[in-house]
Amino acid sequence: MPHRPTPVILAPGTLPPTWERPGIFVANLLSLFFGNEAQTEALRQTVGRLESYGGRLLPIMGLLYRGAHPNIVVLEQAPQQALLNYFADTLALDLPQTHVLPHDDLAALATAGADLRDAPATVDALLPHLQAAPDAWLDGFVTDPALLALATRAGHQTLNQPTASFAGNNKHLLHDFLVATELPVFTTQLVPELAALPAALRQLAAAGFARAALKSPIGASGIGLWTYATDDPAPAPPAYAFAHGPCLLQGWVDASIDTTITATRSPSAQLLVRPEAVHVYDLTDQILSADSIHQGNAAPPPWLTDSAEARGELLRQASLVGRWLHRQDYRGTASIDFHVTEHADGSHVIRVCEVNARVTGATYPALLARHFNPTGAWLMRNVRFDPAPPAATILQRLREADLLYQPGATAGLLPINFNPAPDDHGIAKGQFLCLAPDLPAATQLLEALPQHLPVADSFDRD
């Protein structure tokens, strides 16, 4: 009997179905690199208070999981109470229970013995809360041996196995699939070790590329990505670049190598991979820095409105990659990031850049936007404050300026999460969702923010 491909539901701009079970989500952001501690430290040094980013999960848990027991989020740092009050009292969101488990205590489970005598006391204290929801799935940003050990001790199933989580985030495996499927790919050299990098750069230079991007198999938030001039005789990425296998060196595509290119774009497809089907529930434009680091998203992409051909090809490739993710046995939310070049004749070349098989920086705003503003537009940016105001002050000033989003309103700013300053005195950064009928109106909301709060001059990375 021929194999039936997994159904793909193409419904950008709609909420995907929830899991009909409660969820326990462990915000293990410091596990993103599957044990590559040097890469984890690079992320910590670059992003700052990474422990506070797990708070972004709180407003979306009720949009992802629904069951007989309350959802639970296990954070690395306690959330901001003022923001929780806004979510519950104003937005009427179904908030999860929250508990705190430091990253080092979770990581210790990967090497602890089979009984609780070898586990940190914080784990022992957490287990009764997790066991109070016996039908819950346990999930995290990634599923690794530590998360699996926690699930085993709590008597829960994980939504994913470590092999599926690792495969779904592996750029090398994805590239092999893209080539085998004959989808457009970047000109690529496989670099197994540092010593092979100069020769690989020379190969791309000979092919006409002035720049190249080196990608570790596993990366996030720009950690694991380096750009070089192809005539650099001795590039030196850190040793951790090769910790999970060969890197990909890819030629940088822009008008310098193809004069017919008139624009370059970076859309992203938001997916929910379920056992019975893959749901494509939103298409966004990524907002990237000059170094291609993610800084935010906007939806719907206005340029897609004028190109049914490009939209159709994006959805076709998203369907193929979504089915590939499904075959890796990955389940849950994911993002597919694309590189699109628009050419003088109006045509487009669309290439898959990477897949992030996890809750990503675009998951939170996409779900909240489609819950509160299903027919409108949305914009998400990371806003830095200087000096750092208290969380309650941020909310109060937005409320006084009639900018804070209220359910049923046609427009407003919805703060998703706050990141405390290093000394815990005030909020250094926040993730803000701008909801409006269209993107120009959403942008105007963001532009009004500095009139009421001490916003720094530039936006920040995610």
Side-chain angles (χ1 to χ4, degrees), residues 36 59 72 76 84 103 109-110 116 139 144 155 171 200 221 232 246 308 330 350 355 421 427:
N36 189 340
I72 296 172
E76 294 171 339
L84 292 183
H103 168 72
L109 292 181
L116 288 176
D139 197 15
D144 63 356
K171 295 177 179 62
S221 193
D232 188 340
Y330 176 77
I350 299 175
V355 170
I427 301 302

Side-chain angles (χ1 to χ4, degrees), residues 22 94 175 183 200 224 237 239 247 249 260 263 309 318 368 380 391 444 457:
D94 183 12
H175 179 74
L183 286 172
C247 291
L249 184 71
T260 71
E309 164 259 335
L368 288 166
M380 195 285 289
Q444 288 175 4
D457 289 341

Side-chain angles (χ1 to χ4, degrees), residues 101-136:
L101 179 65
H103 168 72
D104 290 347
D105 291 355
L106 174 64
L109 292 181
T111 54
D115 61 65
L116 288 176
R117 290 173 298 177
D118 300 316
T122 49
V123 174
D124 193 14
L126 175 64
L127 287 179
H129 299 287
L130 305 188
Q131 292 162 347
D135 56 338

Side-chain angles (χ1 to χ4, degrees), residues 186 253-254 261-268 284-288 292 301-307 310 314 337-343 346-353:
F186 297 99
V253 176
D254 58 19
I261 294 175
T262 55
T264 302
R265 311 187 190 280
S266 302
S268 178
T284 84
D285 261 343
Q286 294 189 94
I287 302 169
L288 304 179
S292 294
W303 60 275
L304 278 183
T305 305
D306 301 324
S307 179
L314 272 175
D337 297 340
F338 297 89
H339 177 279
V340 178
T341 54
E342 184 176 321
H343 295 257
S347 64
H348 297 81
V349 177
I350 299 175
R351 298 175 177 88
V352 174
C353 285

Side-chain angles (χ1 to χ4, degrees), residues 82-96:
L83 202 50
L84 292 183
N85 294 343
Y86 168 64
F87 293 154
D89 300 340
T90 300
L91 300 185
L93 290 168
D94 183 12
L95 296 184

Side-chain angles (χ1 to χ4, degrees), residues 100-409:
V100 175
L101 179 65
H103 168 72
D104 290 347
D105 291 355
L106 174 64
L109 292 181
T111 54
D115 61 65
L116 288 176
R117 290 173 298 177
D118 300 316
T122 49
V123 174
D124 193 14
L126 175 64
L127 287 179
H129 299 287
L130 305 188
Q131 292 162 347
D135 56 338
W137 266 323
L138 195 143
D139 197 15
F141 287 106
V142 298
T143 304
D144 63 356
L147 192 75
L148 193 61
L150 179 64
T152 300
R153 291 168 189 270
H156 289 299
Q157 288 181 298
T158 53
L159 186 57
N160 288 291
Q161 290 297 309
T163 51
S165 182
F166 183 80
N169 287 289
N170 191 301
K171 295 177 179 62
H172 189 180
L173 295 180
L174 172 67
H175 179 74
D176 288 347
F177 162 75
L178 297 174
V179 171
T181 315
E182 298 184 344
L183 286 172
V185 295
F186 297 99
T187 301
T188 301
Q189 296 287 324
L190 203 61
V191 183
E193 59 185 355
L194 178 58
L197 182 53
L201 283 166
R202 289 194 295 271
Q203 292 272 4
L204 290 181
F209 293 96
R211 298 174 65 205
L214 184 72
K215 299 178 181 179
S216 287
I218 302 293
S221 193
I223 307 301
L225 171 69
W226 302 268
T227 58
Y228 299 106
T230 54
D231 60 1
D232 188 340
Y240 70 69
F242 303 93
H244 287 305
C247 291
L248 303 174
L249 184 71
Q250 298 182 323
W252 196 276
V253 176
D254 58 19
S256 68
I257 66 149
D258 184 347
T259 57
T260 71
I261 294 175
T262 55
T264 302
R265 311 187 190 280
S266 302
S268 178
Q270 309 308 315
L271 277 64
L272 179 66
V273 183
R274 292 173 57 97
E276 75 285 355
V278 176
H279 295 259
V280 180
Y281 67 88
D282 218 348
L283 292 175
T284 84
D285 261 343
Q286 294 189 94
I287 302 169
L288 304 179
S289 70
D291 296 323
S292 294
I293 308 302
H294 180 257
Q295 292 186 332
N297 289 77
W303 60 275
L304 278 183
T305 305
D306 301 324
S307 179
E309 164 259 335
R311 188 177 190 275
E313 179 61 12
L314 272 175
L315 292 173
R316 183 184 80 87
Q317 293 194 25
S319 299
L320 293 171
V321 175
R323 289 190 177 112
W324 172 78
L325 263 181
H326 191 279
R327 290 196 298 275
Q328 308 314 302
D329 291 327
Y330 176 77
R331 302 292 181 264
T333 60
S335 295
I336 305 171
D337 297 340
F338 297 89
H339 177 279
V340 178
T341 54
E342 184 176 321
H343 295 257
D345 62 0
S347 64
H348 297 81
V349 177
I350 299 175
R351 298 175 177 88
V352 174
C353 285
E354 64 181 23
V355 170
N356 294 301
R358 54 182 170 84
V359 173
T360 74
T363 305
Y364 318 99
L367 290 174
L368 288 166
R370 296 316 170 198
H371 175 68
F372 287 113
N373 190 32
T375 62
W378 62 267
L379 170 68
M380 195 285 289
R381 296 305 304 262
N382 293 279
V383 177
R384 184 166 288 280
F385 298 106
D386 187 17
T393 297
I394 296 173
L395 294 169
Q396 182 61 27
R397 290 188 183 175
L398 291 178
R399 191 175 285 112
E400 291 171 351
D402 200 26
L403 289 174
L404 188 66
Y405 181 77
Q406 307 287 326

Side-chain angles (χ1 to χ4, degrees), residues 7-92:
V8 178
I9 311 301
L10 302 175
T14 64
L15 272 177
T18 56
W19 298 108
E20 294 180 355
R21 294 173 67 166
I24 298 171
F25 201 105
V26 180
N28 57 348
L29 274 164
L30 291 169
S31 301
L32 279 179
F33 303 125
F34 297 93
N36 189 340
E37 293 301 329
Q39 193 172 14
T40 300
E41 183 57 26
L43 180 64
R44 194 199 300 265
Q45 293 296 323
T46 302
V47 176
R49 295 293 297 271
L50 194 64
E51 294 87 349
S52 63
Y53 274 74
R56 296 180 296 179
L57 291 158
L58 301 178
I60 69 166
M61 282 295 290
L63 303 179
L64 281 175
Y65 294 93
R66 183 183 69 248
H69 296 89
N71 296 319
I72 296 172
V73 171
V74 180
L75 300 169
E76 294 171 339
Q77 179 176 302
Q80 296 290 319
Q81 188 60 48
L83 202 50
L84 292 183
N85 294 343
Y86 168 64
F87 293 154
D89 300 340
T90 300
L91 300 185

